[in-house]
Amino acid sequence: MARSAREHARTAPPRPAAAPAPQTDKPSPAGKDADPAAPTHRHRTRRAAEPKRPREPRSRLGHRPDLRPGFETALAHARAYAAEHGHLAAPRDTRHDGYPLGMWLFSQRNRAKQRARAGMPPSPHLTELAAIDPWWNPPWNSEWQRNYYRARDHTEAGEPFDPAARVPAPSTVLGSWITQACLQYDQLHPDQQHLLNAIGITAQTADQWPPSPRPRPHAEALQHARTWAAEHGHLCPPIKTVQDGFPLGQWLDSQRQLAKKRSGPSPTQQALATIDPWWNPPWPILWQRTYHHAQADPRHPAARHWLNNQQRGWPLLHPHQQHLLGSIGIAPNLIR
């Protein structure tokens, strides 16, 4: 059977060749792949022949009529915020009656800077923000402007303010900003200097500051520490403790954190150890605070309960903890 098939193949007449495909103007799919830039439509042909026009940057600052209502809404919130706070230096996360005003102002500042970098004139709509607050988009850092308004509000509220006398103290947040403003006065923008003059920081005030911002950076803090220790007998106040306007608790906590990173005590930490040898104990500071409470009132139920717990866990205590407990009459054989 296989042989008869071979015989048939040898004797069968040859098949005619396939006719060539007719030529057309339409390019084949293979031709498209070979020349993807080849235009396939009259509009595409004209577009390919024309040079590309430069694309102008779009603005979303209210130029388009369909964006104007949204701009007016944001502007109304800006006016209300400025009427309440006296400025538009709102932090980025500020919301006014539910509206993300801080983020909107942040985007407006960014777009204004983009236009300036592109050599474009300021958007005419931004004059409405400038009418609310002339310094809504200052050429310096917005954080500087926010701190300026904090200082202005501080003075308008009648709080103690005397930069020449270091009031507020350089160790506070506001005092630190005032310190930097005085030390960098000559390098500031003229308009920044003008704003500082309005709150009593002048070139004469700045000249009274030493070249180093704080030649004895912790002298004032140490004085507050001595005052607290003289009154309470230790230097383990709660972290929120404020001593005569100075955040003593936070400052001591920061000193303890710094001490962990140093191989040896700094002069400030040595001074603190002179005031209270256990200001930074090797055990948790909460234990030390509780110890001082128990020392002051050992008959208080909470103190008595804590002392009983110390007696039960006596072998686990640090030798110096055992010594401190012994100094107030607590020992393993005295608590049953």
Side-chain angles (χ1 to χ4, degrees), residues 115-129:
R115 292 177 66 90
R117 284 194 294 265
M120 301 174 63
S123 170
H125 295 80
L126 296 185
T127 58
E128 299 175 67
L129 283 172

Side-chain angles (χ1 to χ4, degrees), residues 214-264:
R214 288 181 294 180
R216 297 183 62 197
H218 302 299
E220 181 186 3
L222 287 171
Q223 185 56 45
H224 285 292
R226 292 186 184 96
T227 303
W228 170 273
E231 181 179 352
H232 297 86
H234 62 85
L235 269 185
C236 297
I239 195 169
K240 293 184 179 180
T241 299
V242 176
Q243 169 72 21
D244 292 337
F246 178 77
L248 181 63
Q250 291 182 357
W251 181 78
L252 285 169
D253 182 69
S254 66
Q255 291 303 309
R256 294 186 187 101
Q257 299 301 322
L258 290 172
K260 295 177 182 178
K261 301 176 182 178
R262 293 178 60 93
S263 58

Side-chain angles (χ1 to χ4, degrees), residues 50-291:
E50 294 178 354
K52 291 185 177 181
R53 290 176 294 180
R55 187 175 182 179
E56 296 183 0
R58 297 178 62 185
S59 171
R60 296 177 60 194
L61 297 174
H63 287 288
R64 285 169 39 185
D66 58 322
L67 294 177
R68 185 67 198 186
F71 186 85
E72 290 290 350
T73 299
L75 208 60
H77 285 284
R79 291 192 183 99
Y81 182 90
E84 181 179 353
H85 299 276
H87 60 82
L88 282 181
R92 197 184 309 185
D93 58 353
T94 299
R95 300 186 72 87
H96 184 267
D97 292 339
Y99 184 82
L101 180 64
M103 182 56 70
W104 182 79
L105 287 169
F106 174 76
S107 65
Q108 300 309 302
R109 294 187 188 100
N110 277 347
R111 288 166 189 154
K113 292 172 184 174
Q114 291 172 3
R115 292 177 66 90
R117 284 194 294 265
M120 301 174 63
S123 170
H125 295 80
L126 296 185
T127 58
E128 299 175 67
L129 283 172
I132 301 172
D133 178 5
W135 304 111
W136 77 276
N137 183 29
W140 47 84
N141 190 287
S142 296
E143 184 62 26
W144 190 96
Q145 193 68 16
R146 279 191 281 272
N147 280 314
Y148 167 77
Y149 287 126
R150 292 187 186 104
R152 187 192 66 179
D153 295 342
H154 182 89
T155 58
E156 291 180 353
E159 298 292 336
F161 187 83
D162 186 356
R166 316 300 195 262
V167 178
S171 53
T172 63
V173 175
L174 184 58
S176 175
W177 177 82
I178 294 171
T179 299
Q180 294 302 317
C182 291
L183 292 171
Q184 300 172 0
Y185 187 89
D186 293 337
Q187 289 78 42
L188 294 178
H189 191 284
D191 289 332
Q192 286 176 293
Q193 295 176 350
H194 176 74
L195 290 172
L196 291 173
N197 294 343
I199 61 172
I201 299 177
T202 63
Q204 291 75 20
T205 304
D207 288 340
Q208 298 179 30
W209 285 79
S212 176
R214 288 181 294 180
R216 297 183 62 197
H218 302 299
E220 181 186 3
L222 287 171
Q223 185 56 45
H224 285 292
R226 292 186 184 96
T227 303
W228 170 273
E231 181 179 352
H232 297 86
H234 62 85
L235 269 185
C236 297
I239 195 169
K240 293 184 179 180
T241 299
V242 176
Q243 169 72 21
D244 292 337
F246 178 77
L248 181 63
Q250 291 182 357
W251 181 78
L252 285 169
D253 182 69
S254 66
Q255 291 303 309
R256 294 186 187 101
Q257 299 301 322
L258 290 172
K260 295 177 182 178
K261 301 176 182 178
R262 293 178 60 93
S263 58
S266 67
T268 298
Q269 292 157 10
Q270 291 175 350
L272 290 172
T274 303
I275 300 171
D276 177 6
W278 303 111
W279 77 277
N280 183 30
W283 46 84
I285 192 64
L286 181 59
W287 189 98
Q288 193 69 17
R289 289 196 189 110
T290 310
Y291 164 79

